[in-house]
Amino acid sequence: MNLGLFGKSITRKCTPIVRLYHVRVVQSQHPSKSLAKTSNYGVSDLVDNLIQYTKSVMENSNNHVVAFSGGVDSSLVVALLQKASEDVNNQTVQPVIGISPAVSSEQIQLARQVTSCLGVQLTEVRTSEGIDDTYIANAGEACLACKTHLYTSLKLVLNHASMTPGHKGSLYNGTNADDVKDPTRLGLIAASNFDVISPLQHTTKNDVRRAAKYLGLPNWNYAASPCLRSRLALGVEATKQHLIMIEEAEKIVKKKLSGYSKSSNIRVRMLSRQRARVEVDDDLLQEAENQKSLWTDSFQNLGFSGVDVKVFTSGSVSRKLEET
């Protein structure tokens, strides 16, 4: 049995502890020279290098506020910050999740579960991107608008945590090496504007999962789950109603597909004219095709005009306007 980060079984029941355009990623002055080639290392060497690199980027701070989603990337950042600060006094690691209609209830529950397993308190803050015209328009800069609102809220949390004389703070996110290469991630601009530190910026997603598994994180193999707004085709407004429709439709699909697991990629996309497109991994495609006719009435009751099924493709609606 993997005893995990703190020598405790990760299979134990965890009780949540909750408290209510040039992209530049912030770099350490002393980056580890070996991190770019971590895939060639054994997993223990990989984790040791990640801890050392994390120490180098946090050396001037006492308070470490992490933009947390419950996903494996931000979870690993919290774990690395904990490990890196074990021998240093007066260090605080504070994961913070933004609460809005774009964050599913399932994702919030996961964030609570993971932070409980890590033994840290989760802070939940309401974010206000839902009243931002740029975000609502969803015309290409919604991610930038959303992350700007998120980091503004996190900065307030950080400022409050750093009020003690002699305490300094930093913001962190889970941006990895694969994310930096993605031109659709305009949220990286917001991260740069707020001087957010990315301890995983040299680490591929595959190595993130390897390190998370080694440290015993319960979500090491969970499928990525970006915000619900990312399911909207460009030009489809990011309204509360649309986001609720997507969340409820995904609940239906996950419940009906017998082959679904936490590692399965499932998205319900909203296209123009409120058409739904269900995207699933290739091994679930045939079952989804067989189920499609059974979903039609439920989807129409939610407000969708129709439903189609395709193989999952990351970011499939983020690069161009859907044809009308």
Side-chain angles (χ1 to χ4, degrees):
M1 178 181 292
N2 187 339
L3 294 182
L5 187 61
F6 301 104
K8 299 178 181 179
S9 170
I10 62 173
T11 58
R12 65 184 174 87
K13 182 178 181 181
C14 301
T15 303
I17 308 173
V18 184
R19 199 170 44 178
L20 270 196
Y21 260 72
H22 294 287
V23 178
R24 174 180 62 86
V25 180
V26 176
Q27 305 248 3
S28 165
Q29 293 180 348
H30 309 288
S32 169
K33 295 179 181 179
S34 60
L35 278 172
K37 299 181 180 180
T38 50
S39 292
N40 297 324
Y41 278 67
V43 67
S44 62
D45 292 319
L46 166 64
V47 172
D48 286 345
N49 274 280
L50 284 170
I51 292 172
Q52 291 304 313
Y53 182 63
T54 302
K55 284 183 178 180
S56 76
V57 299
M58 64 184 283
E59 60 186 10
N60 295 319
S61 300
N62 307 94
N63 299 314
H64 312 285
V65 172
V66 182
F68 192 75
S69 67
V72 64
D73 300 304
S74 57
S75 298
L76 180 58
V77 169
V78 171
L80 291 172
L81 287 167
Q82 289 178 296
K83 298 292 286 183
S85 60
E86 280 181 345
D87 300 323
V88 185
N89 294 327
N90 301 318
Q91 299 291 308
T92 302
V93 180
Q94 186 175 7
V96 182
I97 186 171
I99 304 297
S100 78
V103 182
S104 69
S105 58
E106 180 182 15
Q107 198 65 27
I108 295 170
Q109 287 301 120
L110 175 61
R112 292 170 178 170
Q113 175 195 0
V114 173
T115 50
S116 178
C117 290
L118 287 169
V120 291
Q121 188 176 52
L122 176 66
T123 299
E124 301 179 7
V125 296
R126 295 282 176 182
T127 55
S128 56
E129 70 274 9
I131 61 173
D132 188 316
D133 289 341
T134 300
Y135 175 82
I136 295 171
N138 191 34
E141 296 186 345
C143 184
L144 173 58
C146 179
K147 293 298 186 183
T148 298
H149 284 272
L150 174 65
Y151 291 132
T152 297
S153 296
L154 266 59
K155 189 71 172 179
L156 293 174
V157 173
L158 180 64
N159 290 343
H160 183 268
S162 304
M163 289 177 65
T164 304
H167 280 231
K168 296 180 180 179
S170 296
L171 295 178
Y172 301 80
N173 65 18
T175 297
N176 62 52
D178 297 334
D179 297 331
V180 174
K181 300 175 184 177
D182 186 347
T184 70
R185 291 182 178 267
L186 298 187
L188 296 178
I189 298 174
S192 177
N193 292 339
F194 283 84
D195 294 325
V196 179
I197 298 170
S198 304
L200 304 178
Q201 62 182 308
H202 303 299
T203 309
T204 65
K205 186 73 172 192
N206 182 59
D207 278 343
V208 167
R209 294 193 184 280
R210 291 174 64 216
K213 181 180 182 181
Y214 181 82
L215 290 174
L217 299 185
N219 57 345
W220 70 270
N221 65 338
Y222 283 18
S225 183
C227 74
L228 297 174
R229 198 280 313 161
S230 68
R231 275 77 153 165
L232 300 172
L234 287 178
V236 176
E237 290 190 340
T239 63
K240 182 177 180 179
Q241 178 189 2
H242 286 167
L243 298 173
I244 290 174
M245 288 168 63
I246 290 171
E247 180 174 8
E248 293 303 313
E250 289 193 355
K251 287 180 182 178
I252 293 170
V253 175
K254 291 175 181 179
K255 183 178 180 179
K256 297 294 185 181
L257 288 178
S258 62
Y260 167 74
S261 71
K262 293 293 186 180
S263 62
S264 302
N265 288 295
I266 290 180
R267 302 283 190 277
V268 174
R269 313 286 193 188
M270 182 181 287
L271 311 181
S272 60
R273 300 194 295 266
Q274 295 190 319
R275 293 172 293 149
R277 185 170 76 203
V278 178
E279 295 185 6
V280 299
D281 286 332
D282 189 62
D283 62 319
L284 295 174
L285 185 61
Q286 187 58 59
E287 184 183 2
E289 289 281 7
N290 295 339
Q291 291 269 356
K292 183 174 70 171
S293 62
L294 303 178
W295 300 336
T296 302
D297 288 345
S298 297
F299 274 48
Q300 288 180 342
N301 289 338
L302 290 173
F304 288 102
S305 61
V307 58
D308 195 9
V309 173
K310 287 190 176 181
V311 172
F312 167 75
T313 303
S314 180
S316 64
V317 295
S318 63
R319 291 176 173 80
K320 63 180 181 179
L321 287 168
E322 288 291 319
E323 295 181 359
T324 57

